[in-house]
């Protein structure tokens, strides 16, 4: 059941002992939304705990250093930024059919929760968290404000992607004006600072970039062997999915990342009018019109063939 902002706010103000679930391979928006929501619930004296099947990358320590919360038997289960319960990873077995409220901004949301607060036009789930805080009458701490700003900034590519909205600019302006969050430092750490391994990785994958469909499709493949050679892990690859779109004339860019033997995480980006959410939906995933993903199994060659065929039909 899809609900509105006021219904979601009422539910949250009256919930107790909440578990907040984030998706596998956590990014700035899902981490920011989870920790901001934890702060908001704490403002009303409501205990909560954040859970994820993967570790949070160290670059987000300034959000996660407040801790994920104490252990308790949950009475409420909430998911943030999760369009499909399969994206919970191993936690799907525990919470997949128990989510009471999902807060999300992906148009591909499958409606797996009892209640879903969904706005496909929102720039980020953190944008919805900010509106929820206002609807609930919560005062934001500086930590909460930093979490919300980070989620919006990372999901909009520092306010340059098409998903950028007037609302998210307004929220960012409000936070910058009223909270001392060090937004310039956040932006530098999110978008400019890279590990030595990440720099080497970018050079390597650009060398290995492959071109298909008369240059309209580019693919970069990152195997476990390459990551080991470069001394990086999955968290170092965040943001690499946009690299293929830097090539002139490219309509769709894909990053293939080996998650485990025979299993590949696909990150797909669109430069103009191709709806990659629809392509990924056909492949068992989803996301946004210009940024989506899925998981595919098989050999690397088989995975590439499926992707080229799927994109070819759309292009």
């Amino acid at each position: 059941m899809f609900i509105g902002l006021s219904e979601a706010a009422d539910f949250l103000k009256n919930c107790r002992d909440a578990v907040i679930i984030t998706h596998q391979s956590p990014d700035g928006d899902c981490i920011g939304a989870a920790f901001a929501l934890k702060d908001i619930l704490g403002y009303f004296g409501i205990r909560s705990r954040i859970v994820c099947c993967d570790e949070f990358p160290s670059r987000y320590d300034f959000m996660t250093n407040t801790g994920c919360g104490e252990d308790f038997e949950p009475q409420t289960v909430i998911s943030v930024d999760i369009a499909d319960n399969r994206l919970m990873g191993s936690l799907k077995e525990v919470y997949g059919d128990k989510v009471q409220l999902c807060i999300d901004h992906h148009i591909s949301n499958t409606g797996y929760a009892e209640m879903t607060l969904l706005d496909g036009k929102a720039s980020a789930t953190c944008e919805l968290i900010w509106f929820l805080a206002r609807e609930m009458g919560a005062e934001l701490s500086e930590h909460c404000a930093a979490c919300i700003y980070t989620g919006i900034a990372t999901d909009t590519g520092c306010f340059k992607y098409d998903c950028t909205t007037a609302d998210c600019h307004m929220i960012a302006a409000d936070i910058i004006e009223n909270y001392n969050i060090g937004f310039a430092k956040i932006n530098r750490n999110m978008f400019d600072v890279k590990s030595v391994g990440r720099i080497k990785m970018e050079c390597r994958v650009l060398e290995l970039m492959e071109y298909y469909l008369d240059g309209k499709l580019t693919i970069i493949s990152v195997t476990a062997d390459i990551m080991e050679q470069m001394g990086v892990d999955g968290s170092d690859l965040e943001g690499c999915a946009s690299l293929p779109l830097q090539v002139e004339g490219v309509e769709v860019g894909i990053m293939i990342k080996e998650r485990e033997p025979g299993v590949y995480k696909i990150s797909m980006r669109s430069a103009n009018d191709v709806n990659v959410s629809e392509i990924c939906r056909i492949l068992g995933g989803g996301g946004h019109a210009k940024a989506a993903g899925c998981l595919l199994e098989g050999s690397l060659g088989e995975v590439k063939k499926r992707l080229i065929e799927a994109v070819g039909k759309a292009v």
Side-chain angles (χ1 to χ4, degrees):
M1 177 174 66
F2 292 92
I3 63 173
L5 197 69
S6 61
E7 294 171 281
D10 287 342
F11 173 83
L12 290 170
K13 288 182 73 170
N14 291 287
C15 77
R16 289 293 178 268
D17 292 347
V19 162
I20 303 170
I21 310 166
T22 61
H23 59 66
Q24 60 189 8
S25 301
D27 58 16
D29 189 27
C30 81
I31 296 171
F35 280 86
L37 181 58
K38 180 177 178 291
D39 287 352
I40 292 165
L41 293 176
Y43 177 83
F44 294 101
I46 301 168
R47 291 194 302 179
S48 62
R49 179 173 76 251
I50 297 167
V51 296
C52 183
C53 68
D54 293 326
E55 291 186 7
F56 296 126
S58 59
R59 66 195 302 218
Y60 299 114
D61 283 352
F62 69 98
M63 293 194 287
T64 63
N65 62 13
T66 57
C68 291
E70 61 187 289
D71 194 18
F72 51 78
E73 187 65 32
Q75 298 182 40
T76 309
V77 180
I78 303 165
S79 67
V80 292
D81 201 43
I82 301 179
D84 189 314
N85 59 13
R86 290 178 296 178
L87 297 175
M88 296 177 187
S90 59
L91 292 178
K92 180 179 182 292
E93 297 179 10
V94 183
Y95 299 110
D97 59 353
K98 295 182 174 65
V99 179
Q100 293 155 279
L101 174 63
C102 169
I103 305 169
D104 189 28
H105 73 129
H106 295 93
I107 57 175
S108 59
N109 191 286
T110 61
Y112 61 89
E114 291 179 23
M115 296 177 290
T116 302
L117 174 64
L118 177 68
D119 185 353
K121 295 181 180 179
S123 65
T125 296
C126 276
E127 185 177 315
L128 295 176
I129 297 294
W130 189 85
F131 281 113
L132 275 171
R134 293 192 67 180
E135 185 74 19
M136 295 168 70
E139 295 181 13
L140 303 188
S141 64
E142 287 195 347
H143 175 264
C144 184
C147 289
I148 291 173
Y149 179 89
T150 303
I152 291 174
T154 52
D155 252 28
T156 60
C158 208
F159 307 93
K160 71 178 181 181
Y161 297 156
D162 279 0
C163 64
T164 303
T165 64
D167 279 341
C168 75
H169 275 299
M170 177 269 293
I171 294 167
D174 179 78
I175 289 173
I176 290 171
E177 182 176 7
N178 295 298
Y179 300 90
N180 183 25
I181 65 164
F183 70 92
K185 183 178 180 181
I186 291 174
N187 288 335
R188 170 171 160 73
N189 288 334
M190 294 299 105
F191 302 103
D192 297 334
V193 176
K194 301 174 182 178
S195 67
V196 173
R198 167 63 182 266
I199 296 292
K200 292 180 179 178
M201 172 65 75
E202 288 190 10
C203 293
R204 178 65 171 153
V205 298
L206 287 174
E207 289 177 353
L208 298 174
M209 189 178 294
E210 300 171 290
Y211 301 85
Y212 300 96
L213 306 178
D214 297 324
K216 294 179 181 179
L217 168 64
T218 53
I219 296 177
I220 55 176
S221 305
V222 183
T223 64
D225 287 342
I226 291 177
M227 285 190 279
E228 185 177 356
Q229 291 169 15
M230 298 295 106
V232 300
D233 58 26
S235 65
D236 285 309
L237 300 182
E238 188 176 341
C240 277
S242 62
L243 290 177
L245 288 187
Q246 295 178 7
V247 181
E248 185 178 8
V250 170
E251 291 294 325
V252 176
I254 298 176
M255 184 177 77
I256 303 173
K257 182 177 73 175
E258 187 175 13
R259 188 173 175 85
E260 57 187 81
V263 180
Y264 296 88
K265 179 185 177 185
I266 311 303
S267 298
M268 196 175 297
R269 301 291 183 265
S270 171
N272 295 301
D273 300 325
V274 178
N275 187 334
V276 293
S277 176
E278 182 60 23
I279 298 173
C280 287
R281 185 192 64 79
I282 294 170
L283 296 171
H288 304 290
K290 292 201 170 184
C294 60
L295 285 176
L296 294 179
E297 298 183 4
S299 68
L300 182 57
E302 291 168 343
V303 167
K304 286 182 184 178
K305 183 178 179 181
R306 289 184 65 187
L307 291 170
I308 295 166
E309 289 176 353
V311 174
K313 293 176 181 178
V315 171

